[in-house]
Amino acid sequence: MGFATYAEVLRNPVVRRILLLGMLIRIPLWAANVVITLHVVGHLDRSYAAAGLVSTVVAIALSVSSPWRGRRLDRAGLRATVLPSIVIGAVVWSIAPWVGYWPLILLAGVGSLFAVPSFSIIRQVLIGHVPDHHRTTVLSVDSVATELTFLVGPVLGVLAATYLPTQVALLICQLAVVLGAVALWIADPPLHSEHSDLSAGKVSRRSWLTPSVLMILLIATTSTLILTGEDLSTVAALRSWDAPTSIGWMLALWGAGSAIGGIVYGALQRHPSAALLLVGLAGTTALVALAPDGSRLWFAVLLTISGLFCAPTITATVDDLSRVVPASVRGEAMGWHGSALTLGSAVGAPIIGLGLDRGGWAWGFALAGIAGLIIALPGVALTRRGRAVAEAAPDASTQGDAQQAADAPLGI
């Protein structure tokens, strides 16, 4: 293991700045997601199903937006991409908190279509400004930072909605996202280093959207389907045991396991493929279903063990994807990755919900785990067949050879 690599990575001023900027955007973004639900249920006096419809519209809009905004990022650069997000975001979220339910859905959809492609930007900057052998480590740092913002953001959102009118809380959270985008626009961090090969700037999507890339995206989708299943099933289990007050610390343990797993994964000298990590995530998720009914201790232990695979699996999909696409289309590729993650959450909720309705909390974990294994095992087989070819081939993201990337199925 090489934990000293983290110190080397964090000494890079570009890495430190973009991680800080990422947190400035992500924390209020997670907070706003919670506040908008509380706003619909509380101030607008609608059901949780109605609040879920708002979330669905936002998810669909983000799925459309991510690759489109990522492609814009590749072609026009950071400032030209972020500026419309600043203007439209400021206008939309200055109006949305004060309107009724259906106008809110419309405005939330428009705002999400022009959302700042923060994940694409942050990952491109990180990948472009560290040596190739530090790429996995720096992506692991970003993964852990994302975990922290996901833990902090919702808590701040609940506090804001508790002590302020939800309209004001929503306005503050969303305008904080806009201010983070302004800071990003001012900083204008370079998306690529001076050594990046951007010669493949005019390659067609068909040349790099290969079976390997599609498999990586499928793994990313499956991973968030599993994570959604674990989230919903944890809530269902603790509610069925009449222990709803344990939900918060149980999910915190799960998140802590994910952060630890991400740190360890980034320090490894040789990194397992995303497909292999998905096997671990799916298998340990299914094992949670074997926890004795009502035993919070065993449930917590098994859930934490499963958490160890969460951040590494997501990180591996980003890492593998960045290595099999040319640097000149990395923004769009990361956008498709973001859409894949969103799709997994959107598909996972109703599938796991059906399992919970039919068989209880254990069925939720079992269904998520089995679904993951069905996708992961063929991916592992493909990884083994392509490993020798891929290791002998140059890195597509640094060499700019799109066809070579298409022929090397490492990215799973």
Side-chain angles (χ1 to χ4, degrees):
M1 292 214 181
F3 287 102
T5 308
Y6 283 102
E8 296 180 47
V9 164
L10 292 173
R11 278 197 291 268
N12 187 321
V14 176
V15 170
R16 293 199 304 271
R17 282 197 298 269
I18 195 62
L19 288 173
L20 178 60
L21 288 169
M23 295 186 78
L24 288 175
I25 293 176
R26 288 167 174 170
I27 288 176
L29 186 62
W30 301 133
N33 290 342
V34 173
V35 173
I36 198 167
T37 296
L38 298 175
H39 176 68
V40 172
V41 174
H43 178 72
L44 297 180
D45 196 25
R46 296 276 182 156
S47 65
Y48 280 101
L53 179 59
V54 178
S55 298
T56 300
V57 170
V58 168
I60 293 172
L62 288 174
S63 296
V64 173
S65 170
S66 294
W68 165 48
R69 306 292 288 158
R71 188 176 180 87
R72 173 73 175 166
L73 195 63
D74 292 328
R75 295 186 171 187
L78 187 148
R79 284 190 163 177
T81 303
V82 171
L83 184 59
S85 300
I86 294 172
V87 174
I88 294 173
V91 172
V92 163
W93 293 111
S94 295
I95 299 171
W98 317 104
V99 300
Y101 176 70
W102 293 108
L104 173 63
I105 288 182
L106 176 61
L107 289 169
V110 172
S112 299
L113 279 174
F114 287 89
V116 179
S118 56
F119 286 89
S120 292
I121 292 172
I122 292 165
R123 288 164 178 167
Q124 281 206 81
V125 174
L126 291 174
I127 290 169
H129 289 83
V130 297
D132 181 68
H133 60 281
H134 286 170
R135 182 179 300 184
T136 304
T137 301
V138 80
L139 290 174
S140 295
V141 172
D142 178 56
S143 178
V144 173
T146 302
E147 289 279 355
L148 292 175
T149 62
F150 186 71
L151 290 174
V152 172
V155 173
L156 293 180
V158 170
L159 288 174
T162 300
Y163 292 101
L164 295 170
T166 56
Q167 307 101 300
V168 177
L170 182 58
L171 178 68
I172 291 173
C173 290
Q174 291 289 4
L175 290 187
V177 175
V178 172
L179 288 176
V182 171
L184 188 62
W185 186 88
I186 293 172
D188 192 22
L191 298 174
H192 306 281
S193 72
E194 60 184 9
H195 304 296
S196 298
D197 187 344
L198 304 179
S199 59
K202 294 184 179 180
V203 296
S204 66
R205 186 181 293 116
R206 182 178 300 177
S207 68
W208 61 264
L209 197 60
T210 63
S212 294
V213 170
L214 293 175
M215 190 67 196
I216 295 170
L217 297 178
L218 180 59
I219 290 172
T221 299
T222 307
S223 65
T224 50
L225 185 153
I226 294 173
L227 298 184
T228 300
E230 290 197 84
D231 192 357
L232 294 175
S233 300
T234 298
V235 173
L238 294 168
R239 286 177 61 87
S240 71
W241 299 341
D242 197 25
T245 55
S246 298
I247 293 173
W249 65 262
M250 198 71 76
L251 291 176
L253 281 177
W254 183 41
S258 177
I260 292 170
I263 292 170
V264 172
Y265 176 73
L268 295 176
Q269 297 299 321
R270 183 174 177 83
H271 301 96
S273 69
L276 193 59
L277 288 166
L278 185 62
V279 171
L281 177 61
T284 54
T285 297
L287 282 177
V288 182
L290 301 180
D293 198 32
S295 174
R296 278 178 276 179
L297 175 60
W298 274 109
F299 187 85
V301 170
L302 293 173
L303 188 67
T304 304
I305 292 172
S306 178
L308 294 173
F309 291 92
C310 295
T313 305
I314 300 296
T315 301
T317 59
V318 178
D319 191 4
D320 288 353
L321 182 62
S322 71
R323 296 179 188 278
V324 295
V325 299
S328 58
V329 298
R330 195 179 286 148
E332 183 179 358
M334 292 299 165
W336 283 110
H337 182 271
S339 295
L341 296 178
T342 302
L343 178 63
S345 297
V347 171
I351 291 176
I352 302 304
L354 182 63
L356 295 173
D357 290 338
R358 296 291 178 88
W361 66 268
W363 276 79
F365 283 105
L367 189 59
I370 292 170
L373 289 172
I374 290 172
I375 299 299
L377 292 176
V380 171
L382 185 57
T383 300
R384 289 176 177 173
R385 286 201 304 270
R387 179 70 67 179
V389 175
E391 288 180 346
D395 183 345
S397 65
T398 56
Q399 298 296 324
D401 189 342
Q403 187 58 49
Q404 207 158 25
D407 293 337
L410 168 63
I412 47 174

